[in-house]
Amino acid sequence: MINSGSGSRIACVTVGLPATGKTLISQKVCRYLQWLGITTKVFNVGNYRRKLHGAHQLHNFFDPANPEGERSRREAAVEALKDMIHWFKREHGVVALYDATNSTRKRRDMLLAECKKHDIQVMFIESICEDEALVLHNIMSVKLSSPDYKDMDPEKAVEDFKARIFHYREAYETITEENLTYIKLINVGSQVIINHIQGYLQSRIVYYLMNLHIAPRSIFFSRHGESLYNVMGKLGGDSDLSARGKQYAKSLPLLIATHLGSEQLTVWTSTMKRTIATAEHLTYPKLAWKALDELDAGVCDGMTYEEIEEQYPEDFANRDEDKFNYRYRGGESYRDVVLRLEPVIMELERQRNILIIGHQAILRCIYAYFMNHSHEKLPYIKIPLHTVIQLTPRAYACEEKRFKVDIEAVDTHRPKPKAGAAKSVVEPAVGTLVEPTVADAAQGSATGGKSDVGATITTTTMSTTTFRDSAFQRPKSTRRTSKEASGKVDPTEDNAKAIRSALAEVTIADSLADPAVALPLDQITTPGVETKDMAADILGGTATPPMNPILDAAGQVSPSNNNVTTDGEAASSTELNLSIDTSGLMSTPPMMRLKNDLNPAAAWQEGSEYEKTAGASPRDPVMSPGGRLLPKKKDNWHFP
């Protein structure tokens, strides 16, 4: 969080006639700076005027020839100024938006003098709108819904507001002083004039304002389809889609077309396989952003939360204490991701209709920007799989709609731990979906019905049917637990093995399973005859080994590359006891989290060689944990 303890304080003072977008600019700048972690607040003089003198004031109140109205408006301006100065001093504010017309030089000189007394820099933001159509659109879409015209006939309200604008225009004086710091936005940014901009914060505000537009548009968010790592409860990675994830990718074009119509759209994805595969069937222009890649979990990439809790208990607890600021070892924090996404936000403000197919942490950060969520709430925003979120920016808020495709997926959301609660993995509750599905809508259309694709879902009523329940826990085969020491056997061991084997079977057979079928846990069976034959081929050495072999400490192919184990002479018995490690059958995780990838005893240090690898990505395959962390022994370094 940036505060003004020893730095500069800035008052952004808006200037302009009514209905020229001053309040819109103030709200958006405030939201942007708060998202970056800069303490910011808007002081709207109109709200002070309504509180002191009532909301229902007709246009005569704003006539410069009305001395009583002039005194009342000045009183409101002074009260807002006092509160702003108090906020800077007591709450250590950094940037204040003083939102008012401030249309005369006399009023601006008064503000400058008071701010100078308290060592507050002043930056004027003047909005000039010469397009009458834009002004009328602003009146109709914003001003008629304000408290000033509540319960008034719309036509009379429009006429009264036009008269108010006329009164202000009579006394209006544009900024011409060369010694002032200001930015002029003409016709909502079609032309920009800047003067005496100083320092980092003023430059960021100017850059942001130069990218704004008010054209109507929608921004669609969707996580990638369910991935194999999602099913196994692993973090990060660059795994492929599961069978249900592939089905969601096929359903996405119909859902988007239904709610977008014939309007143009651009699709943004990350550079990771699962987002690109989810966008495969969309026919719109596509752009892959490296900045949209998932939060880097560093040494924890490819691990489950249970493994993190056991191997890094202190880190696990610290992350629950302050999830926004916690940085994974060799990885990123949510704060790091926010800063990484700033160019994306700038480009989003310039664009029209955009569909972002991204990852949970990334979409949380972007969603928090548009919906103005605090950093404390940001890491716990629920962004479920197989759901499209539509945001439509308005003048003072953002309209949200959610559309759920009726394809089951795991629930990867971890609620914020309650104070004093035990630190453990919280299993998601299974809900029942009642919204119309894509299939229902298609059937309704064929029969002449009025069914729509995906009804609107509110966050409070939304629930996601989950594939993984409390019985799905990865067996801790690499360590001896207290239960094992006492002779107790985990009753879920067989169930977990069955799931892992079934996933391996689908992967080996190139996803021959029907993608439309989402098997409940009790319906998953162990591999059949085909898998036995395949296992025999692998054991006999006739099958093609999986890609991305496991390397030992010397950089050689490990004998355990095939990841197949048998119990005694099980290969010759009628019932083959086959356990397949699916991580070796899938694409290698981006930072090679497999435990036998590197010497467990290797000490880690910052590797300057990685930094010299031009174009190398920390998510490229066959890399060491975190991308920048390499073992001291150079024989163990793996470069793309």
Side-chain angles (χ1 to χ4, degrees), residues 304 334 405 464 581:
T304 66
Y334 271 94
V405 178
T464 305
D581 183 357

mmCIF file of all heavy atoms in Angstrom, residues 304 334 405 464 581:
data_model
loop_
_atom_site.group_PDB
_atom_site.id
_atom_site.type_symbol
_atom_site.label_atom_id
_atom_site.label_comp_id
_atom_site.label_asym_id
_atom_site.label_seq_id
_atom_site.Cartn_x
_atom_site.Cartn_y
_atom_site.Cartn_z
ATOM 1 N N THR A 304 -0.151 -30.196 -4.525
ATOM 2 C CA THR A 304 -1.480 -30.009 -3.962
ATOM 3 C C THR A 304 -1.364 -29.154 -2.700
ATOM 4 O O THR A 304 -0.276 -29.001 -2.129
ATOM 5 C CB THR A 304 -2.129 -31.352 -3.594
ATOM 6 O OG1 THR A 304 -1.395 -31.942 -2.525
ATOM 7 C CG2 THR A 304 -2.148 -32.300 -4.791
ATOM 8 N N TYR A 334 -0.307 -12.068 -5.166
ATOM 9 C CA TYR A 334 -1.389 -11.384 -5.877
ATOM 10 C C TYR A 334 -1.004 -9.930 -6.165
ATOM 11 O O TYR A 334 -1.375 -9.391 -7.216
ATOM 12 C CB TYR A 334 -2.677 -11.435 -5.047
ATOM 13 C CG TYR A 334 -3.521 -12.652 -5.320
ATOM 14 C CD1 TYR A 334 -3.404 -13.797 -4.540
ATOM 15 C CD2 TYR A 334 -4.445 -12.665 -6.357
ATOM 16 C CE1 TYR A 334 -4.175 -14.922 -4.785
ATOM 17 C CE2 TYR A 334 -5.230 -13.783 -6.614
ATOM 18 C CZ TYR A 334 -5.091 -14.912 -5.827
ATOM 19 O OH TYR A 334 -5.867 -16.024 -6.080
ATOM 20 N N VAL A 405 -22.591 -22.951 -17.859
ATOM 21 C CA VAL A 405 -22.794 -24.073 -18.772
ATOM 22 C C VAL A 405 -22.943 -25.336 -17.939
ATOM 23 O O VAL A 405 -22.167 -25.567 -17.001
ATOM 24 C CB VAL A 405 -21.610 -24.202 -19.751
ATOM 25 C CG1 VAL A 405 -21.806 -25.402 -20.662
ATOM 26 C CG2 VAL A 405 -21.475 -22.927 -20.575
ATOM 27 N N THR A 464 -21.768 -24.612 -7.684
ATOM 28 C CA THR A 464 -21.148 -25.416 -8.723
ATOM 29 C C THR A 464 -21.109 -26.860 -8.291
ATOM 30 O O THR A 464 -20.640 -27.176 -7.198
ATOM 31 C CB THR A 464 -19.715 -24.928 -8.992
ATOM 32 O OG1 THR A 464 -19.759 -23.541 -9.299
ATOM 33 C CG2 THR A 464 -19.082 -25.678 -10.136
ATOM 34 N N ASP A 581 1.456 -43.415 -12.665
ATOM 35 C CA ASP A 581 1.624 -42.013 -12.263
ATOM 36 C C ASP A 581 1.297 -41.137 -13.461
ATOM 37 O O ASP A 581 2.045 -41.065 -14.440
ATOM 38 C CB ASP A 581 3.070 -41.784 -11.813
ATOM 39 C CG ASP A 581 3.274 -40.359 -11.313
ATOM 40 O OD1 ASP A 581 2.312 -39.578 -11.387
ATOM 41 O OD2 ASP A 581 4.388 -40.061 -10.850
#
